[in-house]
Amino acid sequence: MISAQLLYQVSGLNFSYPGSSPALQGINLEVYQGEFLVLLGVNGSGKTTLLGLLCRLLEPLEGEVKLYGKELSRYYGDQELYQLVNLVFQEPNDQLFCTTVEEDVSFGPRNLGLEEAEIERRVSTVLKNVGLEGFRHRCIHELSFGEKKRTALACALAMGSKTLLLDEPTSGIDPVGASEIFQMLREYNRQQDMTVIMATQDVDMIPVYASRVALLSKGELITVAPVKELFENPQLLRESRVRLPRVAHLMEVLEQEEGVGSKPYPLTIGEARRQLVDIMKNKGLENR
Ligand SMILES: Nc1ncnc2c1ncn2[C@@H]1O[C@H](COP(=O)(O)OP(=O)(O)OP(=O)(O)O)[C@@H](O)[C@H]1O
Ligand SMILES: [Mg+2]
């Protein structure tokens, strides 16, 4: 459930990598406890950079990031921060550094000083949740790419933080597996009040799982809006080279080319089904 508690307050944030043009410019963003916020934008739009700034992997050039009202760069010790926020890297090889799945997943919790029984409980729970039961003793370098992505996700979940930052966690994961991971994250989000901030290219999944979307383009935050509101503005999305969910695109074509249906376009299969059934029923009545 989204609460009124402000989790992040990002203001006037500018960032450049050394010797490069700005990667993020003038970012102002508020994130509330319990949100499922998606960062959406084409390659190079600044999603990974923003996630890096939200967990202090990167430091702002200008502006500030506040977490629970306190500036991230000044007020939090490393251990304290790991208990509050964890990041799942876009590239799993950047995150995994131990020999086996178990060693990697237990590394963080052990560093937090947890007891062995609690570490064991967390490792077995998260491996089950990411679909890696039976992989515990496997060598990392013998995993497929998708299995490494799942291991990286397990590592972050095992930390037990209330905020999870995820950088395209389902890229390279098969479609059914990707749905399961979205589903699992939504359960953490709803049942454990975990805030999820996720960069993803998976536009079709957004209406099913996310609450708000931050649209980035060329290092600027174009808008932050509830999912429905964002997709009501296809023009804004197209200017940022982002497409509509496939279902909405179909309904847009049906309206514009066939005069069937109307705005706002349904965003999920369930919504489209209801709208199409209504249209067919009304046609049936007209034809009587
Ligand atoms: N280590 C780096 N050094 C220099 N420039 C970088 C570095 N990492 C990213 N950039 C640049 O910063 C900008 C934002 O990159 P970023 O990785 O944040 O984009 P992204 O939205 O995550 O893209 P993608 O969808 O490809 O993951 C891009 O112009 C990119 O070329
Ligand atoms: Mg990225």
Side-chain angles (χ1 to χ4, degrees):
M1 208 185 68
I2 302 166
S3 70
Q5 187 177 9
L6 201 51
L7 177 67
Y8 277 111
Q9 207 170 5
V10 176
S11 44
L13 186 67
N14 291 340
F15 180 83
S16 300
Y17 291 96
S20 302
S21 49
L24 285 177
Q25 272 181 301
I27 305 291
N28 297 304
L29 172 68
E30 290 183 344
V31 183
Y32 292 87
Q33 178 79 48
E35 283 205 72
F36 195 128
L37 177 74
V38 160
L39 308 183
L40 184 61
V42 296
N43 296 145
S45 55
K47 305 180 294 295
T48 297
T49 306
L50 182 54
L51 288 174
L53 287 153
L54 294 179
C55 66
R56 213 171 59 189
L57 206 62
L58 302 171
E59 290 284 350
L61 198 64
E62 285 173 290
E64 61 178 17
V65 177
K66 281 185 179 169
L67 176 67
Y68 293 115
K70 293 191 279 185
E71 209 181 329
L72 198 57
S73 51
R74 281 202 264 159
Y75 287 94
Y76 293 94
D78 287 343
Q79 287 295 85
E80 192 184 0
L81 192 55
Y82 297 145
Q83 284 177 315
L84 296 172
V85 181
N86 282 280
L87 169 69
V88 183
F89 285 54
Q90 183 165 6
E91 171 51 62
N93 290 320
D94 290 344
Q95 186 172 342
L96 305 172
F97 57 90
C98 295
T99 311
T100 67
V101 170
E102 181 180 49
E103 285 169 24
D104 248 317
V105 178
S106 60
F107 182 85
R110 190 159 287 126
N111 257 14
L112 292 179
L114 299 175
E115 290 185 359
E116 283 305 312
E118 174 60 13
I119 295 171
E120 169 53 32
R121 194 190 65 75
R122 289 193 185 190
V123 170
S124 53
T125 305
V126 298
L127 287 181
K128 181 164 169 281
N129 287 348
V130 302
L132 286 183
E133 262 177 325
F135 281 72
R136 180 186 276 250
H137 302 295
R138 289 279 296 273
C139 282
I140 297 290
H141 74 271
E142 289 170 357
L143 299 178
S144 75
F145 182 76
E147 289 161 357
K148 282 185 189 171
K149 293 280 285 190
R150 287 168 190 262
T151 306
L153 177 55
C155 290
L157 288 171
M159 296 297 281
S161 59
K162 289 276 273 184
T163 300
L164 201 57
L165 311 178
L166 302 120
D167 201 350
E168 307 202 20
T170 56
S171 66
I173 293 198
D174 58 84
V176 172
S179 297
E180 285 167 359
I181 284 173
F182 271 102
Q183 182 74 32
M184 186 263 299
L185 289 170
R186 188 168 65 173
E187 276 165 30
Y188 272 96
N189 171 244
R190 292 203 173 156
Q191 289 166 12
Q192 300 184 28
D193 196 31
M194 179 193 271
T195 308
V196 175
I197 305 177
M198 178 197 288
T200 183
Q201 303 283 358
D202 201 338
V203 178
D204 296 304
M205 291 292 183
I206 293 173
V208 185
Y209 297 103
S211 47
R212 285 201 307 162
V213 181
L215 179 65
L216 291 157
S217 179
K218 297 177 187 161
E220 291 182 22
L221 186 58
I222 305 299
T223 185
V224 192
V227 172
K228 274 192 188 306
E229 218 174 276
L230 180 87
F231 289 119
E232 274 170 21
N233 198 341
Q235 193 51 36
L236 190 67
L237 291 168
R238 286 190 177 120
E239 281 166 14
S240 304
R241 300 186 54 222
V242 171
R243 69 166 173 83
L244 285 173
R246 293 265 184 241
V247 170
H249 189 199
L250 169 67
M251 299 304 285
E252 185 188 39
V253 173
L254 281 176
E255 191 212 9
Q256 291 176 356
E257 307 292 327
E258 311 288 342
V260 171
S262 58
K263 288 197 186 90
Y265 302 124
L267 301 174
T268 62
I269 288 182
E271 288 171 16
R273 176 186 167 183
R274 281 189 289 280
Q275 195 180 99
L276 287 170
V277 166
D278 283 346
I279 291 166
M280 285 188 283
K281 280 185 180 159
N282 289 337
K283 278 240 179 275
L285 286 176
E286 276 170 24
N287 292 342
R288 274 195 196 158

